Amino acid sequence: MLSHPWDDSRVNAQNNPADVELEITNVAHGGVFVSRLDGRVVFVADAIPGERVRARITESSKKSFWRAETVEVLDASPHRQAHVWASAAIDVTPSERAGGAEFGHIELSHQRELKRQVLADSLQRFAGVESDVQVEAVPGDDERDGLAWRTRVSLHVDADGNVGPYAARSHRVIRVGDLPLATDEVASAAPLDQQFRGAESVDIIAPSSTQSARIVVREPVKKGVSPANRREQTIIERVGDRDFFLDEGGFWQVHRSAAELLTGLVQSTIDEALFDPRAANLDLYGGVGLLAAAVGDKFGSTTRITSVESSARATDHAAENLSDWVGAQSITARVDAYLRGLVAQSSAAERTRLAAGTVVLDPPRSGAGKEVVASLAELRPAQLVYVACDPVALARDIGLFAAEGYELKALRAFDLFPHTHHLESIALLTR
């Protein structure tokens, strides 16, 4: 039997020697919830603040915190609902619960409140900013109960060829019977009852330019071959009346309405009084040019903007997607290295154009980070439009920018990932 430093009276030995009763106090970043056991923080999955649950300790090796999985709700929150995905419900053994819908047991509007709390707390702790920002619904999501929004699903394949998502917080494939977060096209095409021996993963993709989904079976990458060198088919995503070409495995916003929403948000967030179409405007982490195109469509065909992206294939597509703007170009480079080059090599005239510029950046989940922030601060662009999919990384970078003289002027947040803990934010910073 495991030995734990808690009072034996708190352990339900009839179920499991590592089961404990916990009071859930608040939400934490990462889709888990906070409790305390004899003074130690315990991060609990599948709970809601205000609940009393029986939870199973799953990780107790760290001194600073433990982890646990809810196995029974003793006092339920009024915001608890039947899980939207039966494969992830609380009556499934924790190790067998499908991952990817960690907020699916919470009523949709309360999910947004919890995400708001995480964002507001992150801004206060990492940036010293008090914010009353709300997490807004994407139009149409409430009518669908937050379901049927994923246009892309990547399923994993185990050694026996079984296909499915990973179990929550693991790398073990779970077979499931449905995919409720997927669009109808993706859900109906998903080969959940088939086997793919020898494959690495199976992607189901429903481009907005077609009425059907495509299935992409990915084989393991051969030794010595970079995943970036895989041959990819080109697909088309349509945003408004504009087409974007990209590789079928390339990055694209996964929510069916995200690309159009973010296009409008970038256009409305830019301070027009600070925008100079002749300046050295930048689109960092630019992908295939979605947000650079948003800027170009807003300010005209002569707008100068350089899109910087580390993926050569994405950059090739961006060059085609941005061909309508005579002042647009796409560059293959790591953003940190590209900015270092600008800092080191720009002439006085180039520095003037950079200082008059607008920078749109959409970094990965880890955020821009210290080096990129420091380089941008050295270049002193007039405004920064920061699109973020992680509230902690955003808040940390806002704090770094504040130390360099940039102030948060506007912030909006959207629930682009219903029934998960993720959200999307867009911030305007000016000096």
Side-chain angles (χ1 to χ4, degrees):
M1 180 179 293
L2 296 174
S3 175
H4 296 282
W6 58 66
D7 186 339
D8 289 343
S9 66
R10 301 177 69 182
V11 178
N12 189 337
Q14 291 181 343
N15 294 280
N16 188 296
D19 286 1
V20 293
E21 291 185 9
L22 297 173
E23 303 283 344
I24 309 301
T25 56
N26 54 295
V27 63
H29 181 47
V32 292
F33 304 86
V34 179
S35 183
R36 283 173 173 78
L37 185 65
D38 297 334
R40 177 181 280 103
V41 171
V42 182
F43 292 123
V44 187
D46 302 311
I48 305 175
E51 290 188 330
R52 184 170 63 91
V53 303
R54 182 166 63 85
R56 186 159 299 158
I57 302 297
T58 57
E59 183 181 330
S60 59
S61 60
K62 292 182 172 59
K63 292 182 179 180
S64 56
F65 66 88
W66 287 354
R67 293 189 181 276
E69 305 274 0
T70 300
V71 293
E72 182 182 2
V73 180
L74 304 175
D75 291 320
S77 165
H79 304 294
R80 180 173 284 274
Q81 65 178 11
H83 204 292
V84 298
W85 195 6
S87 297
I90 197 170
D91 57 353
V92 177
T93 301
S95 61
E96 299 295 320
R97 292 174 193 164
E102 62 277 5
F103 273 14
H105 62 291
I106 307 171
E107 188 273 325
L108 195 56
S109 64
H110 195 60
Q111 292 181 31
R112 295 174 189 141
E113 166 58 20
L114 295 174
K115 295 178 188 187
R116 184 202 67 77
Q117 292 176 20
V118 170
L119 177 57
D121 179 66
S122 299
L123 289 168
Q124 196 282 322
R125 288 192 296 123
F126 293 101
V129 172
E130 297 292 337
S131 175
D132 59 357
V133 63
Q134 300 297 307
V135 177
E136 304 174 49
V138 177
D141 273 2
D142 283 343
E143 289 79 2
R144 298 179 179 90
D145 297 321
L147 305 175
W149 53 267
R150 290 192 68 101
T151 62
R152 286 158 168 74
V153 171
S154 184
L155 301 174
H156 307 283
V157 181
D158 67 16
D160 295 322
N162 296 314
V163 63
Y166 281 144
R169 294 164 288 281
S170 84
H171 288 85
R172 192 163 56 82
V173 173
I174 298 294
R175 301 200 69 171
V176 299
D178 63 343
L179 299 170
L181 302 190
T183 63
D184 292 342
E185 295 84 358
V186 169
S188 61
L192 300 176
D193 57 351
Q194 299 180 32
Q195 288 191 315
F196 297 84
R197 292 186 182 276
E200 180 180 64
S201 63
V202 177
D203 294 348
I204 307 97
I205 305 165
S208 56
S209 61
T210 66
Q211 298 298 315
S212 60
R214 56 199 296 156
I215 296 174
V216 182
V217 180
R218 300 194 179 279
E219 305 296 332
V221 178
K222 294 180 180 179
K223 187 175 181 179
V225 177
S226 169
N229 293 329
R230 280 174 163 164
R231 295 182 63 85
E232 296 272 3
Q233 296 294 316
T234 297
I235 60 174
I236 300 173
E237 292 285 357
R238 186 160 293 136
V239 182
D241 58 359
R242 187 172 294 285
D243 287 342
F244 290 85
F245 295 86
L246 67 151
D247 286 354
E248 60 188 0
F251 174 78
W252 189 256
Q253 292 289 340
V254 69
H255 191 291
R256 54 184 160 67
S257 301
E260 186 169 357
L261 177 72
L262 290 174
T263 292
L265 285 172
V266 166
Q267 292 173 339
S268 62
T269 299
I270 292 173
D271 185 339
E272 295 186 32
L274 295 176
F275 187 84
D276 181 354
R278 298 174 302 279
N281 302 298
L282 299 176
D283 169 37
L284 304 180
Y285 314 94
V288 297
L290 173 69
L291 301 185
V295 177
D297 275 338
K298 172 77 173 180
F299 294 101
S301 61
T302 59
T303 298
R304 288 188 58 187
I305 189 162
T306 299
S307 185
V308 182
E309 164 60 44
S310 62
S311 166
R313 286 288 297 160
T315 305
D316 289 344
H317 288 303
E320 182 175 10
N321 296 333
L322 299 175
S323 60
D324 285 1
W325 297 276
V326 295
Q329 64 174 327
S330 57
I331 292 177
T332 303
R334 285 177 54 97
V335 168
D336 53 355
Y338 176 78
L339 293 177
R340 279 199 306 271
L342 289 183
V343 170
Q345 301 168 15
S346 295
S347 66
E350 290 169 332
R351 283 295 190 106
T352 298
R353 288 193 293 271
L354 287 162
T358 291
V359 174
V360 178
L361 63 161
D362 184 8
R365 198 170 301 282
S366 57
K370 291 182 180 179
E371 184 178 356
V372 168
V373 170
S375 293
L376 286 171
E378 177 75 16
L379 297 171
R380 294 178 56 79
Q383 61 183 323
L384 300 149
V385 178
Y386 191 135
V387 179
C389 60
D390 186 279
V392 172
L394 171 66
R396 180 205 64 206
D397 288 347
I398 288 175
L400 293 173
F401 277 119
E404 300 285 358
Y406 282 87
E407 182 180 353
L408 178 64
K409 290 294 188 179
L411 177 66
R412 293 182 74 181
F414 285 84
D415 190 14
L416 271 184
F417 313 92
H419 302 299
T420 80
H421 72 277
H422 300 292
L423 71 153
E424 195 89 358
S425 305
I426 184 165
L428 173 66
L429 299 103
T430 63
R431 55 179 169 82

